[in-house]
Amino acid sequence: MTSYAPVHETPEGKVFTVTGGDWDQVLGDRDPIHDEKIIVNMGPQHPSTHGVLRLVLELEGETVTDARLVIGYLHTGIEKNLEFRNWTQGVTFVTRADYLAPIFNETGYCLAVEKLLGITEAIPPRATVIRVLMMELNRIASHLVWLATTGMELGAVSIATYAFREREKILDIFELASGLRMNMAYIRPGGLAQDLPDTAVGAIRELLVYLPKRVAEYQAMLSGNPIWRARTIGVAELDVTGCLALGVTGPVLRSAGLAWDLRKTMPYCGYESYEFDVVTRETGDAYARYEIRLDEIGESLKIIEQCLDRLPSGPVMVADKKIAWPAQLATGTDGLGNSLAHVAKIMGQSMEALIHHFKLVTEGFRVPPGQVYVPIESPRGELGVHAVSDGGTRPYRVHFREPSFVNLQSLPALAEGGMIADVIVGGASLDPVMGGCDR
Amino acid sequence: MTTPEQRRDPAVPEPGPPAPGSATGGAPAELPPAELPPASRSGRGMFGVSGSGDTSGFGGLQRRRVVPQPTTRPYGGWFDEACDALAEAYPQFPDAIEAVVVDRGELTLHIRPERIAEVCQVMRDDPALRFELCSSVSGVDYLDAAEGRRLHSVYQLTSMTYRRVIRLEAAVTAEDPHLPSVTSVYPTADWQEREAYDMFGIVFDGHPGLTRILMPDDWEGHPQRKDYPLGGVPVEYKGAEIPPPDRRRSYQ
C-alpha cells in the first residue's frame, strides 16, 4: 500500500504532510475528537477560500481553536506601479485590484484625482449619472458572484450556475458600454472613456425586467432551504461593536444592524438624490448577510432605473481641455480606436491640436500638490482612496483602503470556537476578493 | 531648491536592494532608478535630467510647487469645533500637535509620533469627537522631508456619530522609524500597520505581531519607499529597446 502521508518527528510532535485521500492514515490510532490537536493549512489553493487565501487552523477535533490568516499571494504591487505612470494611466492599474468590482476602484480613484484637481463640480452630469449606473450594475454583478461562489462552497451547485448566468448579462452590458467585460478602465479622471451607447440603455431596460424574477427564484430556492438555513443561521456572528473594532464595513456591518452605507451617510456622485433604502438585519450572522446582499440587488435595480430615467444628454468628459483625454473614439474595421477624422485633423490640419494631443497623452496633466482621502461604498464596504500628489504628472502615492483586506481580519473572530465547516461559511460571508486584498 | 544631483544622492541609510529576479538586479547599488519621482517640490527642466546636452531650452524651466501650508484659525466648518474638543479633552494638545492643515475641505492634524496612540484614544473616546472607526492607515514616503522625517504614517478616522472624517499624520525618520501602535485603540489597525511596516519599514511599537503581510517573510527592503526601484525588464519592440517603467523618461 502506498504511503500517502509522509511522517517526520519534530520537537512539537509528529508532522504529517497531507496530500489528500490519506486522512485515515494521519489519524491512525488517534481519537480525533478528544485528544489530538491538529494544525491544518487550508489553502492557499483551496476551492473554497475565494482565491489565494491561506488559513492556518488549529483544530481540536472539528472545533477551530485558533485561526491565522496568511495573505499576500496575489500581491502585484499596483500601488507602487501607479507611481510610475501618469494619472490617467493609473485607472488601468486600479481596475485590476478588486476584479469583481472594477468600476468601484476606478470611480474611487477618479474621484480622488478630481478632488485633487479641484474639478469635482465640473464633472458633467451625464458622466456622473453613468458612473452611478455602472457602479450599481457592478454591485449587482459582484453580489451575484458572491451568491454563486458561496452557494458552491456550501454545496449548492445549481445556484452557482444560475447566478453566473445572470452576471453574464451584466458583463454583456459592460461590454456594450466599454468594449470590455472586466477591468474596463471605463471611468477616467474627468469623466468617462466614452459615452454610453443607446444599445446599452436598451439592454439595461431588459435587465430591469429580467433580473427581479431571477432574484425571486434565488429566494425561493435558498431562503427556505433547510440545509442552507442550517449552514448559515447563527453561524459566523459578529455584532456592531466587533465590526467597528475590527473596521468591518459594508453588508457585514449592516447585517449586525447598523445602517451605515456611505451612499446615504456621506453621499458622493449625487447619491443623495436617489431614492433607495439601506438594508439592515439584526442577527449579524451569515444568513443575514445573504439576505442583505439579495435585497441590495433590488435596491441597486431601483437606482439603475432612476439613472436611466434621468440620464441627461451632454458630454461625458470635463470641458477643460487641459485635463480631458483628447481621444475621439469611433468604431473602425479593426475595433474601437481614434476616429479617422480626428486623426486626419490632428495629423493634417492643426499642428496645435497635434501638440496638445501629444502632450496630454505622453506627459499627462499636472495635479496640484496635496493629499485627499475619498471613501465610497463598494459591494464589500468602505473603499477608501488616499491619493497624494507632489505636483507632478504622476501620483506620488496612492493607497487603497480595501474592504476585503480590512474585513478579512475579522475571520478569526468569526471562526474561532466554531466548527471547521463554518470557517468556510464565515469566510464566504465576508465576501473577500483577494485581488483587492493583496493589490 | 534641490538640484537633480542632490536628490540623486538622498541621505538614506539603507538603499533599496535591487529587485530580485529583474534584469536591473545586477545594476550597481549606487545607481538609483532613472526616474525617482521628484524629491523636490520644485521641478527643474522638463524631465528632471541634467547634463544630457539638452538644447531645447526646456532645461532651464523651473516649476514651483506649493504644498498646502499649515492653516491658522479659523479653520472653517466643524474643524474648529473638533480641534477645540481635542484640546479640551487632551491637556498635552499643544505639545502633541505639530501643525494643522486644512486643504481641499479636509482637516489634517500633524501629530508628534510618540503621542499618536494617546491622541487616537482621545479621538475615539471623547463624546465630542467620537471617531469610532479607524478607516485607514497608510504610509507615505516624502523623500525630501525636513529633518529627514520622511516616513509618514497617515490615519483616516471616521466619526459615525457626527459623520466626519479627519486625518492624523505622524512623521518619523528612516533611521529611527518608531512610533506607538494604535492597535490597542483601534484593533483594525493591526493588518494596516503590518502593511505600512512591510511597505515602508515604519515600526509600530506595541503591535501584537509586526511581521510582513504582503511581501514574503524573507524579503529584504521595503518596496514602497521612494528609493526602492520598481524593477522590470526592458522590452524590445520593432528593433528598439523600451526601458522598464522606472527607467523611462519622467516628465515633471
PDB file of all heavy atoms in Angstrom, chain B residues 59-89:
ATOM      1  N   GLY B  59      15.553  72.896 -20.419  1.00  0.00           N
ATOM      2  CA  GLY B  59      16.353  72.530 -19.250  1.00  0.00           C
ATOM      3  C   GLY B  59      16.358  73.612 -18.191  1.00  0.00           C
ATOM      4  O   GLY B  59      16.516  73.328 -17.008  1.00  0.00           O
ATOM      5  N   GLY B  60      16.159  74.850 -18.603  1.00  0.00           N
ATOM      6  CA  GLY B  60      16.175  75.945 -17.636  1.00  0.00           C
ATOM      7  C   GLY B  60      14.830  76.212 -17.004  1.00  0.00           C
ATOM      8  O   GLY B  60      14.692  77.087 -16.151  1.00  0.00           O
ATOM      9  N   LEU B  61      13.846  75.459 -17.430  1.00  0.00           N
ATOM     10  CA  LEU B  61      12.490  75.676 -16.933  1.00  0.00           C
ATOM     11  C   LEU B  61      12.404  75.346 -15.454  1.00  0.00           C
ATOM     12  O   LEU B  61      12.894  74.319 -15.014  1.00  0.00           O
ATOM     13  CB  LEU B  61      11.558  74.754 -17.709  1.00  0.00           C
ATOM     14  CG  LEU B  61      10.083  75.002 -17.627  1.00  0.00           C
ATOM     15  CD1 LEU B  61       9.602  75.549 -18.968  1.00  0.00           C
ATOM     16  CD2 LEU B  61       9.363  73.692 -17.377  1.00  0.00           C
ATOM     17  N   GLN B  62      11.806  76.227 -14.688  1.00  0.00           N
ATOM     18  CA  GLN B  62      11.644  75.941 -13.264  1.00  0.00           C
ATOM     19  C   GLN B  62      10.167  75.976 -12.914  1.00  0.00           C
ATOM     20  O   GLN B  62       9.430  76.810 -13.407  1.00  0.00           O
ATOM     21  CB  GLN B  62      12.392  76.969 -12.420  1.00  0.00           C
ATOM     22  CG  GLN B  62      13.883  76.771 -12.482  1.00  0.00           C
ATOM     23  CD  GLN B  62      14.581  77.344 -11.269  1.00  0.00           C
ATOM     24  OE1 GLN B  62      13.964  77.587 -10.251  1.00  0.00           O
ATOM     25  NE2 GLN B  62      15.878  77.549 -11.393  1.00  0.00           N
ATOM     26  N   ARG B  63       9.782  75.068 -12.091  1.00  0.00           N
ATOM     27  CA  ARG B  63       8.366  74.985 -11.739  1.00  0.00           C
ATOM     28  C   ARG B  63       8.244  74.914 -10.222  1.00  0.00           C
ATOM     29  O   ARG B  63       8.746  73.988  -9.604  1.00  0.00           O
ATOM     30  CB  ARG B  63       7.753  73.744 -12.382  1.00  0.00           C
ATOM     31  CG  ARG B  63       6.268  73.688 -12.298  1.00  0.00           C
ATOM     32  CD  ARG B  63       5.739  72.549 -13.139  1.00  0.00           C
ATOM     33  NE  ARG B  63       5.706  72.884 -14.550  1.00  0.00           N
ATOM     34  CZ  ARG B  63       6.454  72.313 -15.481  1.00  0.00           C
ATOM     35  NH1 ARG B  63       7.319  71.398 -15.141  1.00  0.00           N
ATOM     36  NH2 ARG B  63       6.345  72.663 -16.726  1.00  0.00           N
ATOM     37  N   ARG B  64       7.599  75.928  -9.657  1.00  0.00           N
ATOM     38  CA  ARG B  64       7.396  75.940  -8.201  1.00  0.00           C
ATOM     39  C   ARG B  64       6.211  75.061  -7.854  1.00  0.00           C
ATOM     40  O   ARG B  64       5.195  75.079  -8.523  1.00  0.00           O
ATOM     41  CB  ARG B  64       7.099  77.364  -7.707  1.00  0.00           C
ATOM     42  CG  ARG B  64       8.297  78.275  -7.654  1.00  0.00           C
ATOM     43  CD  ARG B  64       9.294  77.884  -6.574  1.00  0.00           C
ATOM     44  NE  ARG B  64       8.700  77.845  -5.241  1.00  0.00           N
ATOM     45  CZ  ARG B  64       9.219  77.134  -4.239  1.00  0.00           C
ATOM     46  NH1 ARG B  64      10.287  76.411  -4.439  1.00  0.00           N
ATOM     47  NH2 ARG B  64       8.646  77.163  -3.062  1.00  0.00           N
ATOM     48  N   ARG B  65       6.347  74.300  -6.807  1.00  0.00           N
ATOM     49  CA  ARG B  65       5.206  73.503  -6.352  1.00  0.00           C
ATOM     50  C   ARG B  65       4.920  73.893  -4.923  1.00  0.00           C
ATOM     51  O   ARG B  65       5.737  73.679  -4.044  1.00  0.00           O
ATOM     52  CB  ARG B  65       5.534  72.021  -6.430  1.00  0.00           C
ATOM     53  CG  ARG B  65       5.610  71.560  -7.869  1.00  0.00           C
ATOM     54  CD  ARG B  65       6.101  70.157  -7.914  1.00  0.00           C
ATOM     55  NE  ARG B  65       6.074  69.686  -9.297  1.00  0.00           N
ATOM     56  CZ  ARG B  65       6.829  68.709  -9.750  1.00  0.00           C
ATOM     57  NH1 ARG B  65       7.679  68.109  -8.949  1.00  0.00           N
ATOM     58  NH2 ARG B  65       6.736  68.335 -10.990  1.00  0.00           N
ATOM     59  N   VAL B  66       3.796  74.451  -4.729  1.00  0.00           N
ATOM     60  CA  VAL B  66       3.456  74.936  -3.391  1.00  0.00           C
ATOM     61  C   VAL B  66       2.622  73.881  -2.685  1.00  0.00           C
ATOM     62  O   VAL B  66       1.502  73.579  -3.094  1.00  0.00           O
ATOM     63  CB  VAL B  66       2.685  76.265  -3.486  1.00  0.00           C
ATOM     64  CG1 VAL B  66       2.421  76.804  -2.095  1.00  0.00           C
ATOM     65  CG2 VAL B  66       3.470  77.263  -4.305  1.00  0.00           C
ATOM     66  N   VAL B  67       3.198  73.315  -1.650  1.00  0.00           N
ATOM     67  CA  VAL B  67       2.443  72.325  -0.884  1.00  0.00           C
ATOM     68  C   VAL B  67       1.482  73.054   0.045  1.00  0.00           C
ATOM     69  O   VAL B  67       1.728  74.181   0.436  1.00  0.00           O
ATOM     70  CB  VAL B  67       3.359  71.426  -0.040  1.00  0.00           C
ATOM     71  CG1 VAL B  67       3.959  70.351  -0.890  1.00  0.00           C
ATOM     72  CG2 VAL B  67       4.411  72.239   0.653  1.00  0.00           C
ATOM     73  N   PRO B  68       0.391  72.411   0.417  1.00  0.00           N
ATOM     74  CA  PRO B  68      -0.522  73.024   1.368  1.00  0.00           C
ATOM     75  C   PRO B  68       0.223  73.405   2.649  1.00  0.00           C
ATOM     76  O   PRO B  68       0.922  72.586   3.238  1.00  0.00           O
ATOM     77  CB  PRO B  68      -1.548  71.927   1.631  1.00  0.00           C
ATOM     78  CG  PRO B  68      -1.502  71.083   0.422  1.00  0.00           C
ATOM     79  CD  PRO B  68      -0.097  71.130  -0.073  1.00  0.00           C
ATOM     80  N   GLN B  69       0.095  74.649   3.059  1.00  0.00           N
ATOM     81  CA  GLN B  69       0.806  75.154   4.229  1.00  0.00           C
ATOM     82  C   GLN B  69      -0.086  75.040   5.466  1.00  0.00           C
ATOM     83  O   GLN B  69      -1.307  74.991   5.353  1.00  0.00           O
ATOM     84  CB  GLN B  69       1.191  76.615   4.005  1.00  0.00           C
ATOM     85  CG  GLN B  69       2.171  76.804   2.868  1.00  0.00           C
ATOM     86  CD  GLN B  69       3.485  76.075   3.107  1.00  0.00           C
ATOM     87  OE1 GLN B  69       4.060  76.160   4.182  1.00  0.00           O
ATOM     88  NE2 GLN B  69       3.925  75.311   2.112  1.00  0.00           N
ATOM     89  N   PRO B  70       0.546  75.016   6.657  1.00  0.00           N
ATOM     90  CA  PRO B  70      -0.255  74.989   7.882  1.00  0.00           C
ATOM     91  C   PRO B  70      -1.254  76.134   7.910  1.00  0.00           C
ATOM     92  O   PRO B  70      -0.956  77.243   7.491  1.00  0.00           O
ATOM     93  CB  PRO B  70       0.794  75.128   8.977  1.00  0.00           C
ATOM     94  CG  PRO B  70       2.028  74.563   8.390  1.00  0.00           C
ATOM     95  CD  PRO B  70       1.964  74.873   6.924  1.00  0.00           C
ATOM     96  N   THR B  71      -2.426  75.823   8.401  1.00  0.00           N
ATOM     97  CA  THR B  71      -3.516  76.779   8.390  1.00  0.00           C
ATOM     98  C   THR B  71      -3.635  77.420   9.773  1.00  0.00           C
ATOM     99  O   THR B  71      -3.319  76.784  10.773  1.00  0.00           O
ATOM    100  CB  THR B  71      -4.832  76.052   8.057  1.00  0.00           C
ATOM    101  OG1 THR B  71      -4.552  75.126   7.009  1.00  0.00           O
ATOM    102  CG2 THR B  71      -5.897  77.010   7.597  1.00  0.00           C
ATOM    103  N   THR B  72      -4.078  78.665   9.796  1.00  0.00           N
ATOM    104  CA  THR B  72      -4.357  79.297  11.087  1.00  0.00           C
ATOM    105  C   THR B  72      -5.866  79.427  11.246  1.00  0.00           C
ATOM    106  O   THR B  72      -6.617  79.362  10.278  1.00  0.00           O
ATOM    107  CB  THR B  72      -3.719  80.692  11.155  1.00  0.00           C
ATOM    108  OG1 THR B  72      -4.070  81.397   9.961  1.00  0.00           O
ATOM    109  CG2 THR B  72      -2.211  80.602  11.250  1.00  0.00           C
ATOM    110  N   ARG B  73      -6.264  79.627  12.505  1.00  0.00           N
ATOM    111  CA  ARG B  73      -7.693  79.726  12.773  1.00  0.00           C
ATOM    112  C   ARG B  73      -8.281  80.983  12.145  1.00  0.00           C
ATOM    113  O   ARG B  73      -7.578  81.978  12.017  1.00  0.00           O
ATOM    114  CB  ARG B  73      -7.913  79.743  14.293  1.00  0.00           C
ATOM    115  CG  ARG B  73      -7.860  78.364  14.886  1.00  0.00           C
ATOM    116  CD  ARG B  73      -7.940  78.449  16.385  1.00  0.00           C
ATOM    117  NE  ARG B  73      -7.788  77.149  16.983  1.00  0.00           N
ATOM    118  CZ  ARG B  73      -8.801  76.314  17.241  1.00  0.00           C
ATOM    119  NH1 ARG B  73     -10.031  76.648  16.920  1.00  0.00           N
ATOM    120  NH2 ARG B  73      -8.589  75.156  17.804  1.00  0.00           N
ATOM    121  N   PRO B  74      -9.570  80.995  11.826  1.00  0.00           N
ATOM    122  CA  PRO B  74     -10.491  79.859  11.909  1.00  0.00           C
ATOM    123  C   PRO B  74     -10.282  78.884  10.761  1.00  0.00           C
ATOM    124  O   PRO B  74      -9.996  79.291   9.648  1.00  0.00           O
ATOM    125  CB  PRO B  74     -11.854  80.540  11.818  1.00  0.00           C
ATOM    126  CG  PRO B  74     -11.613  81.771  11.018  1.00  0.00           C
ATOM    127  CD  PRO B  74     -10.216  82.217  11.331  1.00  0.00           C
ATOM    128  N   TYR B  75     -10.436  77.599  11.069  1.00  0.00           N
ATOM    129  CA  TYR B  75     -10.259  76.573  10.047  1.00  0.00           C
ATOM    130  C   TYR B  75     -11.516  76.421   9.190  1.00  0.00           C
ATOM    131  O   TYR B  75     -11.466  75.919   8.086  1.00  0.00           O
ATOM    132  CB  TYR B  75      -9.937  75.226  10.692  1.00  0.00           C
ATOM    133  CG  TYR B  75      -8.768  75.271  11.637  1.00  0.00           C
ATOM    134  CD1 TYR B  75      -8.837  74.682  12.886  1.00  0.00           C
ATOM    135  CD2 TYR B  75      -7.591  75.907  11.260  1.00  0.00           C
ATOM    136  CE1 TYR B  75      -7.761  74.719  13.750  1.00  0.00           C
ATOM    137  CE2 TYR B  75      -6.506  75.953  12.118  1.00  0.00           C
ATOM    138  CZ  TYR B  75      -6.602  75.360  13.373  1.00  0.00           C
ATOM    139  OH  TYR B  75      -5.546  75.406  14.217  1.00  0.00           O
ATOM    140  N   GLY B  76     -12.638  76.804   9.755  1.00  0.00           N
ATOM    141  CA  GLY B  76     -13.880  76.702   8.995  1.00  0.00           C
ATOM    142  C   GLY B  76     -14.636  75.430   9.302  1.00  0.00           C
ATOM    143  O   GLY B  76     -14.051  74.425   9.687  1.00  0.00           O
ATOM    144  N   GLY B  77     -15.961  75.489   9.139  1.00  0.00           N
ATOM    145  CA  GLY B  77     -16.820  74.321   9.327  1.00  0.00           C
ATOM    146  C   GLY B  77     -16.717  73.770  10.735  1.00  0.00           C
ATOM    147  O   GLY B  77     -16.603  74.517  11.712  1.00  0.00           O
ATOM    148  N   TRP B  78     -16.701  72.444  10.829  1.00  0.00           N
ATOM    149  CA  TRP B  78     -16.622  71.805  12.136  1.00  0.00           C
ATOM    150  C   TRP B  78     -15.185  71.632  12.590  1.00  0.00           C
ATOM    151  O   TRP B  78     -14.934  71.084  13.656  1.00  0.00           O
ATOM    152  CB  TRP B  78     -17.325  70.452  12.096  1.00  0.00           C
ATOM    153  CG  TRP B  78     -16.818  69.536  11.011  1.00  0.00           C
ATOM    154  CD1 TRP B  78     -17.310  69.424   9.745  1.00  0.00           C
ATOM    155  CD2 TRP B  78     -15.720  68.625  11.079  1.00  0.00           C
ATOM    156  NE1 TRP B  78     -16.585  68.502   9.027  1.00  0.00           N
ATOM    157  CE2 TRP B  78     -15.605  67.990   9.818  1.00  0.00           C
ATOM    158  CE3 TRP B  78     -14.818  68.262  12.079  1.00  0.00           C
ATOM    159  CZ2 TRP B  78     -14.633  67.039   9.535  1.00  0.00           C
ATOM    160  CZ3 TRP B  78     -13.843  67.306  11.788  1.00  0.00           C
ATOM    161  CH2 TRP B  78     -13.757  66.706  10.535  1.00  0.00           C
ATOM    162  N   PHE B  79     -14.234  72.106  11.790  1.00  0.00           N
ATOM    163  CA  PHE B  79     -12.826  71.854  12.095  1.00  0.00           C
ATOM    164  C   PHE B  79     -12.417  72.527  13.408  1.00  0.00           C
ATOM    165  O   PHE B  79     -11.697  71.940  14.220  1.00  0.00           O
ATOM    166  CB  PHE B  79     -11.929  72.337  10.953  1.00  0.00           C
ATOM    167  CG  PHE B  79     -12.171  71.629   9.643  1.00  0.00           C
ATOM    168  CD1 PHE B  79     -11.746  72.184   8.440  1.00  0.00           C
ATOM    169  CD2 PHE B  79     -12.816  70.403   9.600  1.00  0.00           C
ATOM    170  CE1 PHE B  79     -11.958  71.530   7.244  1.00  0.00           C
ATOM    171  CE2 PHE B  79     -13.028  69.739   8.401  1.00  0.00           C
ATOM    172  CZ  PHE B  79     -12.603  70.310   7.218  1.00  0.00           C
ATOM    173  N   ASP B  80     -12.882  73.787  13.600  1.00  0.00           N
ATOM    174  CA  ASP B  80     -12.532  74.495  14.838  1.00  0.00           C
ATOM    175  C   ASP B  80     -13.095  73.756  16.043  1.00  0.00           C
ATOM    176  O   ASP B  80     -12.416  73.561  17.048  1.00  0.00           O
ATOM    177  CB  ASP B  80     -13.098  75.916  14.794  1.00  0.00           C
ATOM    178  CG  ASP B  80     -12.433  76.731  13.714  1.00  0.00           C
ATOM    179  OD1 ASP B  80     -11.312  77.193  13.934  1.00  0.00           O
ATOM    180  OD2 ASP B  80     -13.049  76.881  12.644  1.00  0.00           O
ATOM    181  N   GLU B  81     -14.355  73.353  15.885  1.00  0.00           N
ATOM    182  CA  GLU B  81     -15.039  72.659  16.972  1.00  0.00           C
ATOM    183  C   GLU B  81     -14.288  71.382  17.366  1.00  0.00           C
ATOM    184  O   GLU B  81     -14.054  71.108  18.544  1.00  0.00           O
ATOM    185  CB  GLU B  81     -16.446  72.325  16.466  1.00  0.00           C
ATOM    186  CG  GLU B  81     -17.446  71.890  17.478  1.00  0.00           C
ATOM    187  CD  GLU B  81     -18.724  71.444  16.751  1.00  0.00           C
ATOM    188  OE1 GLU B  81     -19.119  72.095  15.771  1.00  0.00           O
ATOM    189  OE2 GLU B  81     -19.296  70.432  17.172  1.00  0.00           O
ATOM    190  N   ALA B  82     -13.876  70.622  16.356  1.00  0.00           N
ATOM    191  CA  ALA B  82     -13.176  69.365  16.637  1.00  0.00           C
ATOM    192  C   ALA B  82     -11.830  69.642  17.299  1.00  0.00           C
ATOM    193  O   ALA B  82     -11.439  68.949  18.247  1.00  0.00           O
ATOM    194  CB  ALA B  82     -12.992  68.570  15.343  1.00  0.00           C
ATOM    195  N   CYS B  83     -11.117  70.655  16.821  1.00  0.00           N
ATOM    196  CA  CYS B  83      -9.818  70.968  17.414  1.00  0.00           C
ATOM    197  C   CYS B  83      -9.993  71.443  18.850  1.00  0.00           C
ATOM    198  O   CYS B  83      -9.197  71.075  19.736  1.00  0.00           O
ATOM    199  CB  CYS B  83      -9.097  72.029  16.586  1.00  0.00           C
ATOM    200  SG  CYS B  83      -8.540  71.412  15.004  1.00  0.00           S
ATOM    201  N   ASP B  84     -11.027  72.262  19.099  1.00  0.00           N
ATOM    202  CA  ASP B  84     -11.296  72.710  20.463  1.00  0.00           C
ATOM    203  C   ASP B  84     -11.591  71.525  21.374  1.00  0.00           C
ATOM    204  O   ASP B  84     -11.085  71.436  22.495  1.00  0.00           O
ATOM    205  CB  ASP B  84     -12.489  73.670  20.480  1.00  0.00           C
ATOM    206  CG  ASP B  84     -12.136  75.001  19.830  1.00  0.00           C
ATOM    207  OD1 ASP B  84     -10.928  75.270  19.716  1.00  0.00           O
ATOM    208  OD2 ASP B  84     -13.063  75.738  19.438  1.00  0.00           O
ATOM    209  N   ALA B  85     -12.422  70.613  20.865  1.00  0.00           N
ATOM    210  CA  ALA B  85     -12.791  69.452  21.675  1.00  0.00           C
ATOM    211  C   ALA B  85     -11.569  68.625  22.007  1.00  0.00           C
ATOM    212  O   ALA B  85     -11.414  68.130  23.130  1.00  0.00           O
ATOM    213  CB  ALA B  85     -13.823  68.615  20.921  1.00  0.00           C
ATOM    214  N   LEU B  86     -10.682  68.474  21.029  1.00  0.00           N
ATOM    215  CA  LEU B  86      -9.466  67.693  21.257  1.00  0.00           C
ATOM    216  C   LEU B  86      -8.573  68.402  22.276  1.00  0.00           C
ATOM    217  O   LEU B  86      -8.021  67.779  23.184  1.00  0.00           O
ATOM    218  CB  LEU B  86      -8.721  67.472  19.940  1.00  0.00           C
ATOM    219  CG  LEU B  86      -7.439  66.651  20.028  1.00  0.00           C
ATOM    220  CD1 LEU B  86      -7.716  65.254  20.552  1.00  0.00           C
ATOM    221  CD2 LEU B  86      -6.747  66.574  18.674  1.00  0.00           C
ATOM    222  N   ALA B  87      -8.445  69.724  22.122  1.00  0.00           N
ATOM    223  CA  ALA B  87      -7.588  70.483  23.038  1.00  0.00           C
ATOM    224  C   ALA B  87      -8.125  70.401  24.460  1.00  0.00           C
ATOM    225  O   ALA B  87      -7.359  70.329  25.428  1.00  0.00           O
ATOM    226  CB  ALA B  87      -7.504  71.937  22.581  1.00  0.00           C
ATOM    227  N   GLU B  88      -9.436  70.380  24.578  1.00  0.00           N
ATOM    228  CA  GLU B  88     -10.035  70.338  25.908  1.00  0.00           C
ATOM    229  C   GLU B  88      -9.882  68.969  26.561  1.00  0.00           C
ATOM    230  O   GLU B  88      -9.582  68.841  27.738  1.00  0.00           O
ATOM    231  CB  GLU B  88     -11.511  70.711  25.798  1.00  0.00           C
ATOM    232  CG  GLU B  88     -12.173  70.969  27.131  1.00  0.00           C
ATOM    233  CD  GLU B  88     -13.629  71.339  26.927  1.00  0.00           C
ATOM    234  OE1 GLU B  88     -13.935  72.054  25.947  1.00  0.00           O
ATOM    235  OE2 GLU B  88     -14.452  70.904  27.740  1.00  0.00           O
ATOM    236  N   ALA B  89     -10.072  67.931  25.734  1.00  0.00           N
ATOM    237  CA  ALA B  89     -10.040  66.576  26.284  1.00  0.00           C
ATOM    238  C   ALA B  89      -8.622  66.060  26.470  1.00  0.00           C
ATOM    239  O   ALA B  89      -8.404  65.077  27.166  1.00  0.00           O
ATOM    240  CB  ALA B  89     -10.819  65.638  25.369  1.00  0.00           C
TER     241      ALA B  89
END
